[in-house]
Amino acid sequence: MDTAPFALPSTSTPAQDAKNRRKGATAAALASAVEWYDYFVFGIAAALVLGDLYFPAGSSSAGVLASFATFAVGFLARPFGGIIAGHLGDKRGRKPMLVLALTLMGVATTGIGLLPTYETIGIAAPVLLVTLRVMQGIAVGAQWGGAMLLATEYAPEGKRGIYGSFVQLGVPIGVVTANSVFLLAGAFTSESAFAAWGWRLPFLIGLLVLVLAWYIHKHVEETPEFRAAERALAEKEKAEKEQAAEQGEQGEQGADKGKVGGGARNSPLRTILRGHLGTVFLAGGSFAVNTATFYILITGVLDYTTRELDMNRGAVLTVSLCVSLTQLVLIPASAALSDRIGRIRIYGLGAAGIALWAVPMFLLIDTGSLLWLAVGTFVASCFLSIMYGPQAALFAELFTPEMRYTGASLGYQIAAVLGGGLAPFVMVLLLETTGTSMSVAAYIIGLAVIALGSIKVLADRARSG
C-alpha cells in the first residue's frame, strides 16, 4: 500500500544524503525512546505507589482506580497534542514540533518527580499530578508524529517500513529502561524508602530529554519530504500570482494560499476534517487493540499480578523487561517484511493473533506462575510487535505530505484514547465487577474485531485506489 509516494529530488550529494538520513533516523529513534520512557514511568508508578501517595482512600482498589484514571487523563490529552503539533508541523516543519514536544515532556516528568504528596500539601497534590500528566499527554501526542515523519520522510525508496520501525523501537526501549530504573530503585532502597523517595528517581532522569531536544534543534535538518512540499507550494503560489497579474488581477486569492513553511494556507486540520476523517477513524480503529493490549500488559497486569495474585513486584517487573527486549528484534523484522510483502498483510496478521491469544494468555497469567506469566505475555508481545512494526509507515502512507503530520497523529492518538488510556482502568473495573480475567480477554477480543474490520476497509481502499 502506497498512497503517498516519498520519491524526492535532491540537490545534495549522495554522501550528504546518507549522513542526513542516518542523523535523522537516529534522532527520531532517540526522541521516541526518551519520550516513551518518561511516559511509561508514570504507568509503572501508577500501578505501584501513586494511588497511596496522591489518592488516599478506604480501599487499595479505589486508590489504584484513581491512579489509573490519572494515567488515562494523559491519553485524553494526547489528541490535543497531535492536533496542535500536526497543524503546526504541516505548516512550519517536523523538527520544531519534535523539539517542543521533548522540552514539554522533560519539564512535566521532572515536575512529577519533585511533586509533594497528598500528606504534605493536601488536595493540591492530586490536582498538580493530573496537570503534569496532561502535559505529558500533550507532549507524547505531539512527539509521535514528528519522530515518525523525521524517520520515514528520510527513508530511501523501498525501506520506509524499516525506517519507521526505528521510531517504534522507542516503545520497547522506553519500557525496558523504565522497568530497569524502577528495579534498580527498588533494589537499592527499602520498601519504606522506595515509597518515600525511591520512586521519584526514575522521574528525575527526565531532565536528560532536554539535552536531546537541544541536540535535535542544533544538529538535525528538516526532512527532505517537507522541504520538497514547501518548494512545490511556493512555486505554485508564484505561478498563480503571475497568471493573475497577466489577467489584470491583484493575485490576492493566490497569496492567501501561502507556503507550507509559514504562509497562510489552508489549514491541514480543516483539510483532514472535511475530506479524510473516515481514514483517520479507520486508522484509529485498526490500532486501538494494539495499544490497549500493550498497556494491559505493562501496567494492568503489573497491578493484577501483584495485588490480586500476590506475585513479587520485582519478579513481575523482570518478566515485563525481558518480554519487552524481544520486541527490539521483532519490531524491525516485521517492518522489514512489510517492505517486501505489504503493510496491510503483516498488520492484519498481528491483529488476528492478538484476538486468538487473549483467552489463553489470561488462563496462563491466572496460574500465578512466573513461567506461565512469561509465556503468556511473550506470545502476546510477539503479535503486538508484528502489528506495531509496519504501523508508522502504514499511517504515513495514508496521507499526503501537506497533511501527513495531522492525519497520522490524529489516527494514532484516537487509538491511544480509545485503547491505551482507558485499558488499565477498564481492566481493574472489569475485574472488580465480574471477578474473572476472562472479561478482560473479551474486551481485547472486541477491540481486535474492530481492528480487523478497519484493516479490511483500508485494504479494499488500497486495492480500488
Side-chain angles (χ1 to χ4, degrees):
M1 180 177 185
D2 190 353
T3 61
F6 279 42
L8 298 172
S10 177
T11 57
S12 58
T13 66
Q16 289 173 324
D17 287 341
K19 181 179 179 181
N20 289 335
R21 188 178 297 128
R22 287 193 300 270
K23 190 181 293 186
T26 301
L30 288 174
S32 179
V34 298
E35 190 96 346
W36 285 116
Y37 164 82
D38 282 5
Y39 199 68
F40 290 146
V41 292
F42 191 100
I44 297 173
L48 297 178
V49 297
L50 295 185
D52 292 335
L53 295 176
Y54 291 92
F55 304 96
S59 71
S60 59
S61 296
V64 170
L65 279 171
S67 183
F68 280 164
T70 305
F71 179 70
V73 164
F75 286 82
L76 295 175
R78 282 170 60 168
F80 295 99
I83 290 170
I84 295 168
H87 177 78
L88 294 176
D90 282 330
K91 290 174 70 69
R92 306 284 182 179
R94 297 19 174 150
K95 188 182 82 168
M97 293 303 101
L98 182 57
V99 170
L100 180 62
L102 289 169
T103 303
L104 183 61
M105 178 63 83
V107 171
T109 304
T110 305
I112 293 172
L114 299 173
L115 186 64
T117 64
Y118 185 92
E119 184 180 0
T120 304
I121 61 173
I123 193 65
V127 171
L128 289 171
L129 182 66
V130 170
T131 301
L132 292 169
R133 180 59 178 170
V134 167
M135 289 174 60
Q136 281 193 320
I138 292 173
V140 82
Q143 173 272 146
W144 183 80
M148 179 271 290
L149 294 180
L150 194 64
T152 58
E153 290 188 348
Y154 264 115
E157 186 176 357
K159 294 187 178 180
R160 206 173 311 160
I162 189 65
Y163 268 69
S165 73
F166 296 156
V167 175
Q168 309 297 72
L169 285 175
V171 172
I173 291 173
V175 173
V176 169
T177 308
N179 277 294
S180 299
V181 172
F182 266 101
L183 281 170
L184 288 173
F188 288 99
T189 59
S190 63
E191 286 287 334
S192 59
F194 180 83
W197 57 267
W199 68 270
R200 298 180 181 275
L201 298 178
F203 287 93
L204 296 178
I205 295 175
L207 280 170
L208 296 178
V209 75
L210 299 177
V211 177
L212 180 61
W214 174 85
Y215 174 83
I216 293 175
H217 174 68
K218 287 290 187 181
H219 299 287
V220 177
E221 294 185 6
E222 186 54 79
T223 71
E225 181 82 357
F226 177 82
R227 285 183 275 122
E230 184 181 44
R231 289 194 299 271
L233 283 178
E235 291 171 0
K236 182 180 178 182
E237 177 197 14
K238 181 180 178 182
E240 289 175 347
K241 285 182 177 180
E242 291 175 350
Q243 183 180 11
E246 289 175 359
Q247 296 173 353
E249 299 175 0
Q250 298 300 317
E252 294 176 356
Q253 184 176 0
D256 286 342
K257 294 182 180 179
K259 341 189 279 179
V260 176
R265 69 178 186 88
N266 290 333
S267 163
L269 179 60
R270 187 181 300 115
T271 302
I272 289 289
L273 295 179
R274 287 180 175 177
H276 303 274
L277 193 58
T279 303
V280 169
F281 280 113
L282 286 171
S286 75
F287 192 62
V289 65
N290 185 288
T291 188
T293 306
F294 175 77
Y295 283 102
I296 284 172
L297 289 181
I298 69 163
T299 301
V301 168
L302 175 60
D303 168 66
Y304 177 58
T305 53
T306 55
R307 185 167 57 87
E308 299 289 342
L309 303 181
D310 294 322
M311 298 178 71
N312 178 267
R313 179 187 69 200
V316 174
L317 281 172
T318 301
V319 168
S320 178
L321 186 153
C322 293
V323 168
S324 296
L325 284 172
T326 64
Q327 294 183 312
L328 298 177
V329 177
L330 292 171
I331 286 176
S334 65
L337 188 60
S338 78
D339 282 331
R340 297 173 61 87
I341 68 174
R343 318 251 184 256
I344 289 289
R345 190 175 299 176
I346 300 299
Y347 197 63
L349 176 63
I354 293 171
L356 294 173
W357 187 247
V359 169
M361 177 180 71
F362 275 102
L363 289 175
L364 293 174
I365 291 172
D366 285 344
T367 64
S369 163
L370 275 177
L371 174 62
W372 291 122
L373 170 67
V375 172
T377 54
F378 168 73
V379 175
S381 179
C382 289
F383 290 123
L384 292 178
S385 300
I386 289 170
M387 193 177 183
Y388 197 55
Q391 183 255 340
L394 174 64
F395 278 29
E397 291 169 353
L398 293 175
F399 306 96
T400 53
E402 64 272 12
M403 59 179 174
R404 183 173 292 146
Y405 202 139
T406 303
S409 292
L410 273 178
Y412 188 94
Q413 303 312 333
I414 285 173
V417 172
L418 298 179
L422 296 175
F425 182 87
V426 170
M427 179 175 176
V428 174
L429 201 59
L430 287 172
L431 290 170
E432 289 292 313
T433 303
T434 66
T436 173
S437 63
M438 290 301 101
S439 59
V440 185
Y443 169 61
I444 292 174
I445 293 170
L447 290 175
V449 171
I450 294 172
L452 290 169
S454 300
I455 291 168
K456 185 180 186 306
V457 175
L458 289 173
D460 292 342
R461 285 186 176 185
R463 284 191 293 268
S464 63

